[in-house]
Amino acid sequence: MSAQFEELDWSPTPIGDVSLRRRRDPVTGVDIFEAKLGDEFLMSSLFAVAEIEVARLALARLRGFGLDVAVGGLGLGYTAQAVLVDERVRELLVLDTLEPVIQWHKRGLVPVGPILTADPRCRLVHGDFFAMSDGSGFDPLMPKRVFDAVVVDVDHSPRHLLADGSAGFYGAEGTRRLAWHLRPGGVYSLWSNDPPDDAYLAVLSEVFVDVAAEIVSFPNPLQDRKATNTVYLGTTPG
C-alpha cells in the first residue's frame, strides 16, 4: 500500500463498518487521520478545533477543583484530551458504543491514544451513551453517579443522527433525563456540525439556564474557506 495512504483498521459494528485510515498531506507532509462509518466521514484530525472547544467551553463555565467529567463519543480523542488538559479534572469517563474505536486508542493507532491511556484520570468505557443517559448513568461501576460536566460529540447534529437510537435524547424528556446525571451548577455541552438550531435551543431552555449556541470557526484548507461548527451549552440550576 502506498505510503501516502494506509487503512489502519476496519471492523464491523452493529451500526455499520467502522474504519480508520491515515493519509499523507502532499503539501505539508503531515499525517492526517480519518474515521469513517460505512461511506460516511465521522471525523478528521485536520478539523479538531471544534472538538477541542466543546470541552474547553464547558470547563470554562465551572469553578473549583476535583471535577468529574463524562464525554459521550471517543472518536480520535481530541475532546477527551482537551478535558485532561484542565488540571482541575479529577476523573474523566469517555463512553463510546464502538469497541473498535476504543481499541484504536489502546493499540496506539491514533496519536492521542497513548496520551489518554497513560493518564490515570481517564477511563474508556464501552457503552451506548444514549441508553446510559436514559438509564442509571455513565459509570458502570457507580450507578446514578453525577458529574460536573457532560460533553457530547456523537451525532452530526440534533437533526442529523448516526443511528435512530439517539433521536429521543434531543427532545425535552431526553434532555431532562440527561440533566439528572449532572450536579447542580453542572454543564452540558454538545458539538454540532450544523448552524444553531432555534428549536433545539428552546428544548435546552426548558431544562437548563444560561443556554447558548457558540459558533466555532476554523480554516478548511480543502475548500479554501472558513468553516463553522456549533457548540451548545447549558447549566443546571442550583
Side-chain angles (χ1 to χ4, degrees):
M1 182 168 296
S2 168
Q4 299 298 320
F5 178 90
E6 182 180 7
E7 186 172 77
L8 301 176
D9 190 64
W10 176 94
S11 301
T13 78
I15 63 172
D17 299 333
V18 66
S19 60
L20 173 68
R21 67 186 195 179
R22 177 178 59 204
R23 64 180 177 85
R24 180 70 53 83
D25 186 292
V27 176
T28 65
V30 173
D31 283 339
I32 298 170
F33 292 80
E34 298 169 330
K36 296 180 68 178
L37 183 64
D39 293 327
E40 186 173 13
F41 277 94
L42 293 181
M43 59 198 63
S44 168
S45 61
L46 189 61
F47 307 112
V49 173
E51 293 175 23
I52 294 169
E53 285 296 285
V54 72
R56 191 193 66 79
L57 289 168
L59 292 168
R61 288 192 169 204
L62 295 169
R63 299 292 178 265
F65 291 83
L67 302 177
D68 295 325
V69 180
V71 167
L74 172 57
L76 296 179
Y78 293 104
T79 300
Q81 182 186 29
V83 172
L84 294 174
V85 166
D86 194 320
E87 296 180 353
R88 300 175 301 152
V89 172
R90 174 172 56 191
E91 186 172 19
L92 166 65
L93 268 66
V94 190
L95 301 97
D96 205 292
T97 191
L98 302 176
E99 175 63 26
V101 173
I102 294 176
Q103 292 304 318
W104 295 347
H105 289 264
K106 291 184 176 180
R107 293 164 58 193
L109 294 181
V110 292
V112 175
I115 299 171
L116 301 185
T117 55
D119 195 315
R121 297 175 296 162
C122 181
R123 178 157 36 115
L124 305 181
V125 178
H126 178 218
D128 185 332
F129 171 83
F130 299 108
M132 297 168 90
S133 182
D134 280 345
S136 59
F138 305 123
D139 190 345
L141 304 180
M142 191 183 302
K144 299 184 179 180
R145 180 181 179 181
V146 292
F147 292 84
D148 296 286
V150 174
V151 180
V152 184
D153 179 4
V154 179
D155 290 320
H156 293 308
S157 77
R159 294 181 184 269
H160 297 106
L161 315 180
L162 292 180
D164 293 338
S166 63
F169 175 81
Y170 301 101
E173 288 304 315
T175 302
R176 289 190 184 95
R177 287 191 289 270
L178 164 73
W180 295 341
H181 308 301
L182 283 164
R183 293 189 174 100
V187 176
Y188 166 63
S189 179
L190 173 78
W191 173 88
S192 171
N193 191 49
D194 291 348
D197 185 327
D198 288 341
Y200 187 57
L201 285 167
V203 169
L204 295 179
S205 296
E206 293 184 32
V207 179
F208 298 107
V209 297
D210 297 329
V211 170
E214 300 283 351
I215 296 176
V216 179
S217 300
F218 51 93
N220 182 341
L222 299 179
Q223 298 178 345
D224 193 26
R225 65 175 179 85
K226 279 192 174 181
T228 61
N229 290 167
T230 301
V231 173
Y232 293 98
L233 296 154
T235 300
T236 53

mmCIF file of all heavy atoms in Angstrom, residues 142-182:
data_model
loop_
_atom_site.group_PDB
_atom_site.id
_atom_site.type_symbol
_atom_site.label_atom_id
_atom_site.label_comp_id
_atom_site.label_asym_id
_atom_site.label_seq_id
_atom_site.Cartn_x
_atom_site.Cartn_y
_atom_site.Cartn_z
ATOM 1 N N MET A 142 -20.583 2.733 39.201
ATOM 2 C CA MET A 142 -21.249 3.573 40.191
ATOM 3 C C MET A 142 -22.564 4.093 39.603
ATOM 4 O O MET A 142 -22.621 5.224 39.101
ATOM 5 C CB MET A 142 -20.348 4.740 40.608
ATOM 6 C CG MET A 142 -20.842 5.514 41.830
ATOM 7 S SD MET A 142 -19.765 6.946 42.213
ATOM 8 C CE MET A 142 -18.177 6.139 42.429
ATOM 9 N N PRO A 143 -23.623 3.286 39.632
ATOM 10 C CA PRO A 143 -24.907 3.724 39.083
ATOM 11 C C PRO A 143 -25.393 5.019 39.730
ATOM 12 O O PRO A 143 -25.167 5.260 40.922
ATOM 13 C CB PRO A 143 -25.846 2.554 39.410
ATOM 14 C CG PRO A 143 -24.935 1.366 39.530
ATOM 15 C CD PRO A 143 -23.673 1.902 40.130
ATOM 16 N N LYS A 144 -26.030 5.844 38.929
ATOM 17 C CA LYS A 144 -26.608 7.121 39.351
ATOM 18 C C LYS A 144 -25.548 8.139 39.772
ATOM 19 O O LYS A 144 -25.861 9.129 40.450
ATOM 20 C CB LYS A 144 -27.641 6.921 40.465
ATOM 21 C CG LYS A 144 -28.818 6.048 40.045
ATOM 22 C CD LYS A 144 -29.870 5.950 41.127
ATOM 23 C CE LYS A 144 -31.044 5.086 40.661
ATOM 24 N NZ LYS A 144 -32.098 4.958 41.680
ATOM 25 N N ARG A 145 -24.319 7.920 39.363
ATOM 26 C CA ARG A 145 -23.272 8.892 39.642
ATOM 27 C C ARG A 145 -23.560 10.202 38.909
ATOM 28 O O ARG A 145 -24.059 10.194 37.776
ATOM 29 C CB ARG A 145 -21.927 8.341 39.183
ATOM 30 C CG ARG A 145 -20.751 9.277 39.418
ATOM 31 C CD ARG A 145 -19.462 8.661 38.921
ATOM 32 N NE ARG A 145 -18.337 9.548 39.121
ATOM 33 C CZ ARG A 145 -17.084 9.264 38.745
ATOM 34 N NH1 ARG A 145 -16.813 8.106 38.160
ATOM 35 N NH2 ARG A 145 -16.116 10.135 38.965
ATOM 36 N N VAL A 146 -23.247 11.329 39.543
ATOM 37 C CA VAL A 146 -23.443 12.627 38.902
ATOM 38 C C VAL A 146 -22.087 13.256 38.575
ATOM 39 O O VAL A 146 -21.076 12.954 39.208
ATOM 40 C CB VAL A 146 -24.280 13.579 39.783
ATOM 41 C CG1 VAL A 146 -25.713 13.087 39.895
ATOM 42 C CG2 VAL A 146 -23.659 13.759 41.158
ATOM 43 N N PHE A 147 -22.103 14.135 37.570
ATOM 44 C CA PHE A 147 -20.878 14.723 37.042
ATOM 45 C C PHE A 147 -20.972 16.248 37.039
ATOM 46 O O PHE A 147 -22.057 16.822 37.053
ATOM 47 C CB PHE A 147 -20.635 14.222 35.617
ATOM 48 C CG PHE A 147 -20.293 12.762 35.545
ATOM 49 C CD1 PHE A 147 -21.307 11.810 35.541
ATOM 50 C CD2 PHE A 147 -18.981 12.339 35.504
ATOM 51 C CE1 PHE A 147 -20.999 10.452 35.485
ATOM 52 C CE2 PHE A 147 -18.666 10.992 35.451
ATOM 53 C CZ PHE A 147 -19.676 10.046 35.438
ATOM 54 N N ASP A 148 -19.802 16.869 36.984
ATOM 55 C CA ASP A 148 -19.747 18.325 36.876
ATOM 56 C C ASP A 148 -19.980 18.781 35.440
ATOM 57 O O ASP A 148 -20.461 19.893 35.209
ATOM 58 C CB ASP A 148 -18.389 18.840 37.361
ATOM 59 C CG ASP A 148 -18.175 18.546 38.834
ATOM 60 O OD1 ASP A 148 -18.795 19.226 39.667
ATOM 61 O OD2 ASP A 148 -17.389 17.630 39.130
ATOM 62 N N ALA A 149 -19.629 17.932 34.485
ATOM 63 C CA ALA A 149 -19.848 18.267 33.073
ATOM 64 C C ALA A 149 -20.096 16.988 32.292
ATOM 65 O O ALA A 149 -19.476 15.956 32.554
ATOM 66 C CB ALA A 149 -18.654 19.018 32.492
ATOM 67 N N VAL A 150 -21.011 17.088 31.346
ATOM 68 C CA VAL A 150 -21.241 16.022 30.360
ATOM 69 C C VAL A 150 -21.067 16.659 28.989
ATOM 70 O O VAL A 150 -21.791 17.597 28.634
ATOM 71 C CB VAL A 150 -22.634 15.398 30.494
ATOM 72 C CG1 VAL A 150 -22.871 14.395 29.360
ATOM 73 C CG2 VAL A 150 -22.796 14.712 31.846
ATOM 74 N N VAL A 151 -20.085 16.170 28.250
ATOM 75 C CA VAL A 151 -19.712 16.725 26.952
ATOM 76 C C VAL A 151 -20.010 15.674 25.886
ATOM 77 O O VAL A 151 -19.590 14.518 26.024
ATOM 78 C CB VAL A 151 -18.210 17.101 26.929
ATOM 79 C CG1 VAL A 151 -17.819 17.684 25.591
ATOM 80 C CG2 VAL A 151 -17.892 18.063 28.070
ATOM 81 N N VAL A 152 -20.704 16.074 24.817
ATOM 82 C CA VAL A 152 -21.187 15.091 23.846
ATOM 83 C C VAL A 152 -20.719 15.460 22.434
ATOM 84 O O VAL A 152 -20.924 16.585 21.979
ATOM 85 C CB VAL A 152 -22.723 14.982 23.880
ATOM 86 C CG1 VAL A 152 -23.195 13.877 22.940
ATOM 87 C CG2 VAL A 152 -23.219 14.714 25.298
ATOM 88 N N ASP A 153 -20.125 14.488 21.760
ATOM 89 C CA ASP A 153 -19.723 14.628 20.360
ATOM 90 C C ASP A 153 -19.932 13.269 19.697
ATOM 91 O O ASP A 153 -18.995 12.483 19.563
ATOM 92 C CB ASP A 153 -18.266 15.087 20.259
ATOM 93 C CG ASP A 153 -17.796 15.221 18.817
ATOM 94 O OD1 ASP A 153 -18.626 15.025 17.918
ATOM 95 O OD2 ASP A 153 -16.615 15.502 18.597
ATOM 96 N N VAL A 154 -21.172 12.999 19.318
ATOM 97 C CA VAL A 154 -21.512 11.704 18.716
ATOM 98 C C VAL A 154 -22.171 11.913 17.358
ATOM 99 O O VAL A 154 -21.594 11.591 16.322
ATOM 100 C CB VAL A 154 -22.420 10.872 19.640
ATOM 101 C CG1 VAL A 154 -22.768 9.544 18.974
ATOM 102 C CG2 VAL A 154 -21.755 10.623 20.985
ATOM 103 N N ASP A 155 -23.381 12.446 17.368
ATOM 104 C CA ASP A 155 -24.112 12.674 16.122
ATOM 105 C C ASP A 155 -23.584 13.914 15.406
ATOM 106 O O ASP A 155 -22.918 14.764 15.994
ATOM 107 C CB ASP A 155 -25.604 12.838 16.415
ATOM 108 C CG ASP A 155 -26.250 11.541 16.846
ATOM 109 O OD1 ASP A 155 -25.916 10.491 16.270
ATOM 110 O OD2 ASP A 155 -27.096 11.571 17.762
ATOM 111 N N HIS A 156 -23.951 14.044 14.132
ATOM 112 C CA HIS A 156 -23.536 15.227 13.379
ATOM 113 C C HIS A 156 -24.224 16.487 13.915
ATOM 114 O O HIS A 156 -23.653 17.581 13.885
ATOM 115 C CB HIS A 156 -23.859 15.061 11.902
ATOM 116 C CG HIS A 156 -23.052 13.991 11.229
ATOM 117 N ND1 HIS A 156 -21.680 13.934 11.294
ATOM 118 C CD2 HIS A 156 -23.421 12.927 10.473
ATOM 119 C CE1 HIS A 156 -21.247 12.894 10.621
ATOM 120 N NE2 HIS A 156 -22.273 12.262 10.113
ATOM 121 N N SER A 157 -25.451 16.338 14.384
ATOM 122 C CA SER A 157 -26.209 17.453 14.957
ATOM 123 C C SER A 157 -27.460 16.872 15.580
ATOM 124 O O SER A 157 -27.756 15.677 15.405
ATOM 125 C CB SER A 157 -26.582 18.476 13.870
ATOM 126 O OG SER A 157 -27.668 18.008 13.092
ATOM 127 N N PRO A 158 -28.256 17.673 16.311
ATOM 128 C CA PRO A 158 -29.517 17.146 16.863
ATOM 129 C C PRO A 158 -30.491 16.664 15.797
ATOM 130 O O PRO A 158 -31.416 15.902 16.118
ATOM 131 C CB PRO A 158 -30.078 18.350 17.626
ATOM 132 C CG PRO A 158 -28.887 19.149 18.009
ATOM 133 C CD PRO A 158 -27.957 19.016 16.839
ATOM 134 N N ARG A 159 -30.308 17.075 14.556
ATOM 135 C CA ARG A 159 -31.200 16.651 13.476
ATOM 136 C C ARG A 159 -30.589 15.587 12.569
ATOM 137 O O ARG A 159 -31.313 14.849 11.891
ATOM 138 C CB ARG A 159 -31.596 17.857 12.620
ATOM 139 C CG ARG A 159 -32.450 18.886 13.352
ATOM 140 C CD ARG A 159 -32.816 20.033 12.437
ATOM 141 N NE ARG A 159 -33.560 21.073 13.130
ATOM 142 C CZ ARG A 159 -34.899 21.099 13.212
ATOM 143 N NH1 ARG A 159 -35.611 20.140 12.633
ATOM 144 N NH2 ARG A 159 -35.512 22.074 13.853
ATOM 145 N N HIS A 160 -29.252 15.502 12.543
ATOM 146 C CA HIS A 160 -28.566 14.565 11.661
ATOM 147 C C HIS A 160 -27.847 13.523 12.517
ATOM 148 O O HIS A 160 -26.768 13.786 13.058
ATOM 149 C CB HIS A 160 -27.590 15.307 10.742
ATOM 150 C CG HIS A 160 -28.271 16.275 9.828
ATOM 151 N ND1 HIS A 160 -28.223 17.633 10.018
ATOM 152 C CD2 HIS A 160 -29.055 16.077 8.740
ATOM 153 C CE1 HIS A 160 -28.923 18.247 9.068
ATOM 154 N NE2 HIS A 160 -29.445 17.322 8.288
ATOM 155 N N LEU A 161 -28.488 12.360 12.623
ATOM 156 C CA LEU A 161 -28.075 11.339 13.568
ATOM 157 C C LEU A 161 -27.314 10.222 12.873
ATOM 158 O O LEU A 161 -27.554 9.912 11.702
ATOM 159 C CB LEU A 161 -29.295 10.751 14.283
ATOM 160 C CG LEU A 161 -30.340 11.762 14.798
ATOM 161 C CD1 LEU A 161 -31.485 11.025 15.470
ATOM 162 C CD2 LEU A 161 -29.708 12.777 15.747
ATOM 163 N N LEU A 162 -26.409 9.586 13.618
ATOM 164 C CA LEU A 162 -25.691 8.433 13.085
ATOM 165 C C LEU A 162 -26.533 7.170 13.150
ATOM 166 O O LEU A 162 -26.379 6.271 12.337
ATOM 167 C CB LEU A 162 -24.389 8.219 13.862
ATOM 168 C CG LEU A 162 -23.305 9.279 13.683
ATOM 169 C CD1 LEU A 162 -22.088 8.920 14.521
ATOM 170 C CD2 LEU A 162 -22.914 9.410 12.216
ATOM 171 N N ALA A 163 -27.424 7.096 14.134
ATOM 172 C CA ALA A 163 -28.299 5.927 14.302
ATOM 173 C C ALA A 163 -29.606 6.381 14.934
ATOM 174 O O ALA A 163 -29.652 7.387 15.658
ATOM 175 C CB ALA A 163 -27.618 4.862 15.167
ATOM 176 N N ASP A 164 -30.669 5.623 14.679
ATOM 177 C CA ASP A 164 -32.001 6.031 15.131
ATOM 178 C C ASP A 164 -32.126 6.061 16.652
ATOM 179 O O ASP A 164 -32.959 6.783 17.191
ATOM 180 C CB ASP A 164 -33.058 5.081 14.566
ATOM 181 C CG ASP A 164 -33.178 5.188 13.059
ATOM 182 O OD1 ASP A 164 -32.775 6.235 12.518
ATOM 183 O OD2 ASP A 164 -33.661 4.228 12.427
ATOM 184 N N GLY A 165 -31.315 5.287 17.346
ATOM 185 C CA GLY A 165 -31.476 5.155 18.792
ATOM 186 C C GLY A 165 -31.243 6.414 19.587
ATOM 187 O O GLY A 165 -31.605 6.480 20.768
ATOM 188 N N SER A 166 -30.654 7.439 18.988
ATOM 189 C CA SER A 166 -30.348 8.657 19.747
ATOM 190 C C SER A 166 -31.401 9.739 19.600
ATOM 191 O O SER A 166 -31.306 10.782 20.250
ATOM 192 C CB SER A 166 -28.989 9.217 19.307
ATOM 193 O OG SER A 166 -29.017 9.594 17.938
ATOM 194 N N ALA A 167 -32.425 9.525 18.784
ATOM 195 C CA ALA A 167 -33.376 10.593 18.473
ATOM 196 C C ALA A 167 -34.027 11.176 19.721
ATOM 197 O O ALA A 167 -34.164 12.396 19.870
ATOM 198 C CB ALA A 167 -34.435 10.085 17.500
ATOM 199 N N GLY A 168 -34.444 10.330 20.658
ATOM 200 C CA GLY A 168 -35.132 10.819 21.852
ATOM 201 C C GLY A 168 -34.270 11.652 22.770
ATOM 202 O O GLY A 168 -34.789 12.447 23.567
ATOM 203 N N PHE A 169 -32.961 11.506 22.660
ATOM 204 C CA PHE A 169 -32.044 12.240 23.521
ATOM 205 C C PHE A 169 -32.207 13.743 23.352
ATOM 206 O O PHE A 169 -32.039 14.502 24.320
ATOM 207 C CB PHE A 169 -30.605 11.823 23.203
ATOM 208 C CG PHE A 169 -29.547 12.596 23.927
ATOM 209 C CD1 PHE A 169 -29.207 12.278 25.226
ATOM 210 C CD2 PHE A 169 -28.873 13.643 23.299
ATOM 211 C CE1 PHE A 169 -28.219 12.993 25.901
ATOM 212 C CE2 PHE A 169 -27.886 14.348 23.955
ATOM 213 C CZ PHE A 169 -27.562 14.023 25.268
ATOM 214 N N TYR A 170 -32.547 14.192 22.150
ATOM 215 C CA TYR A 170 -32.569 15.617 21.856
ATOM 216 C C TYR A 170 -33.915 16.273 22.124
ATOM 217 O O TYR A 170 -34.058 17.478 21.944
ATOM 218 C CB TYR A 170 -32.150 15.839 20.395
ATOM 219 C CG TYR A 170 -30.773 15.311 20.110
ATOM 220 C CD1 TYR A 170 -30.587 14.092 19.469
ATOM 221 C CD2 TYR A 170 -29.644 16.013 20.526
ATOM 222 C CE1 TYR A 170 -29.318 13.596 19.219
ATOM 223 C CE2 TYR A 170 -28.372 15.523 20.288
ATOM 224 C CZ TYR A 170 -28.213 14.305 19.636
ATOM 225 O OH TYR A 170 -26.955 13.819 19.407
ATOM 226 N N GLY A 171 -34.885 15.505 22.575
ATOM 227 C CA GLY A 171 -36.170 16.066 22.956
ATOM 228 C C GLY A 171 -36.173 16.520 24.403
ATOM 229 O O GLY A 171 -35.195 16.359 25.149
ATOM 230 N N ALA A 172 -37.299 17.076 24.833
ATOM 231 C CA ALA A 172 -37.391 17.619 26.192
ATOM 232 C C ALA A 172 -37.205 16.541 27.251
ATOM 233 O O ALA A 172 -36.471 16.738 28.234
ATOM 234 C CB ALA A 172 -38.730 18.338 26.366
ATOM 235 N N GLU A 173 -37.834 15.383 27.075
ATOM 236 C CA GLU A 173 -37.722 14.333 28.087
ATOM 237 C C GLU A 173 -36.312 13.763 28.137
ATOM 238 O O GLU A 173 -35.766 13.515 29.215
ATOM 239 C CB GLU A 173 -38.745 13.224 27.814
ATOM 240 C CG GLU A 173 -40.175 13.632 28.115
ATOM 241 C CD GLU A 173 -40.347 14.126 29.541
ATOM 242 O OE1 GLU A 173 -39.814 13.475 30.471
ATOM 243 O OE2 GLU A 173 -40.990 15.179 29.740
ATOM 244 N N GLY A 174 -35.715 13.546 26.962
ATOM 245 C CA GLY A 174 -34.343 13.056 26.940
ATOM 246 C C GLY A 174 -33.383 14.035 27.573
ATOM 247 O O GLY A 174 -32.426 13.647 28.253
ATOM 248 N N THR A 175 -33.622 15.323 27.374
ATOM 249 C CA THR A 175 -32.762 16.349 27.966
ATOM 250 C C THR A 175 -32.917 16.385 29.475
ATOM 251 O O THR A 175 -31.937 16.569 30.214
ATOM 252 C CB THR A 175 -33.086 17.715 27.343
ATOM 253 O OG1 THR A 175 -32.914 17.639 25.927
ATOM 254 C CG2 THR A 175 -32.179 18.798 27.893
ATOM 255 N N ARG A 176 -34.146 16.199 29.951
ATOM 256 C CA ARG A 176 -34.349 16.155 31.414
ATOM 257 C C ARG A 176 -33.642 14.948 32.026
ATOM 258 O O ARG A 176 -33.043 15.050 33.103
ATOM 259 C CB ARG A 176 -35.841 16.102 31.730
ATOM 260 C CG ARG A 176 -36.572 17.400 31.448
ATOM 261 C CD ARG A 176 -37.985 17.378 31.997
ATOM 262 N NE ARG A 176 -38.690 18.602 31.637
ATOM 263 C CZ ARG A 176 -39.469 18.730 30.580
ATOM 264 N NH1 ARG A 176 -39.676 17.689 29.773
ATOM 265 N NH2 ARG A 176 -40.065 19.879 30.311
ATOM 266 N N ARG A 177 -33.701 13.802 31.347
ATOM 267 C CA ARG A 177 -33.015 12.616 31.868
ATOM 268 C C ARG A 177 -31.505 12.829 31.888
ATOM 269 O O ARG A 177 -30.819 12.399 32.826
ATOM 270 C CB ARG A 177 -33.395 11.383 31.041
ATOM 271 C CG ARG A 177 -34.818 10.902 31.295
ATOM 272 C CD ARG A 177 -35.061 9.535 30.682
ATOM 273 N NE ARG A 177 -35.121 9.595 29.227
ATOM 274 C CZ ARG A 177 -36.229 9.795 28.532
ATOM 275 N NH1 ARG A 177 -37.386 9.981 29.161
ATOM 276 N NH2 ARG A 177 -36.201 9.811 27.211
ATOM 277 N N LEU A 178 -30.986 13.486 30.865
ATOM 278 C CA LEU A 178 -29.558 13.808 30.857
ATOM 279 C C LEU A 178 -29.196 14.675 32.062
ATOM 280 O O LEU A 178 -28.175 14.444 32.730
ATOM 281 C CB LEU A 178 -29.189 14.545 29.578
ATOM 282 C CG LEU A 178 -27.835 15.271 29.604
ATOM 283 C CD1 LEU A 178 -26.700 14.270 29.540
ATOM 284 C CD2 LEU A 178 -27.719 16.293 28.510
ATOM 285 N N ALA A 179 -30.014 15.664 32.350
ATOM 286 C CA ALA A 179 -29.722 16.602 33.442
ATOM 287 C C ALA A 179 -29.665 15.905 34.794
ATOM 288 O O ALA A 179 -29.012 16.409 35.720
ATOM 289 C CB ALA A 179 -30.752 17.722 33.458
ATOM 290 N N TRP A 180 -30.343 14.760 34.943
ATOM 291 C CA TRP A 180 -30.273 14.017 36.202
ATOM 292 C C TRP A 180 -28.846 13.571 36.517
ATOM 293 O O TRP A 180 -28.516 13.322 37.680
ATOM 294 C CB TRP A 180 -31.170 12.775 36.144
ATOM 295 C CG TRP A 180 -32.633 13.073 36.035
ATOM 296 C CD1 TRP A 180 -33.276 14.252 36.327
ATOM 297 C CD2 TRP A 180 -33.661 12.163 35.592
ATOM 298 N NE1 TRP A 180 -34.626 14.141 36.096
ATOM 299 C CE2 TRP A 180 -34.889 12.870 35.643
ATOM 300 C CE3 TRP A 180 -33.655 10.848 35.160
ATOM 301 C CZ2 TRP A 180 -36.100 12.284 35.273
ATOM 302 C CZ3 TRP A 180 -34.853 10.256 34.799
ATOM 303 C CH2 TRP A 180 -36.057 10.968 34.859
ATOM 304 N N HIS A 181 -28.011 13.462 35.513
ATOM 305 C CA HIS A 181 -26.650 12.974 35.703
ATOM 306 C C HIS A 181 -25.652 14.108 35.945
ATOM 307 O O HIS A 181 -24.444 13.862 35.985
ATOM 308 C CB HIS A 181 -26.215 12.157 34.493
ATOM 309 C CG HIS A 181 -27.185 11.069 34.121
ATOM 310 N ND1 HIS A 181 -27.529 10.056 34.992
ATOM 311 C CD2 HIS A 181 -27.911 10.858 32.985
ATOM 312 C CE1 HIS A 181 -28.413 9.261 34.403
ATOM 313 N NE2 HIS A 181 -28.659 9.725 33.193
ATOM 314 N N LEU A 182 -26.172 15.322 36.108
ATOM 315 C CA LEU A 182 -25.334 16.483 36.384
ATOM 316 C C LEU A 182 -25.596 17.016 37.786
ATOM 317 O O LEU A 182 -26.736 17.028 38.253
ATOM 318 C CB LEU A 182 -25.616 17.594 35.367
ATOM 319 C CG LEU A 182 -24.997 17.423 33.978
ATOM 320 C CD1 LEU A 182 -25.668 18.368 32.986
ATOM 321 C CD2 LEU A 182 -23.495 17.689 34.025
#
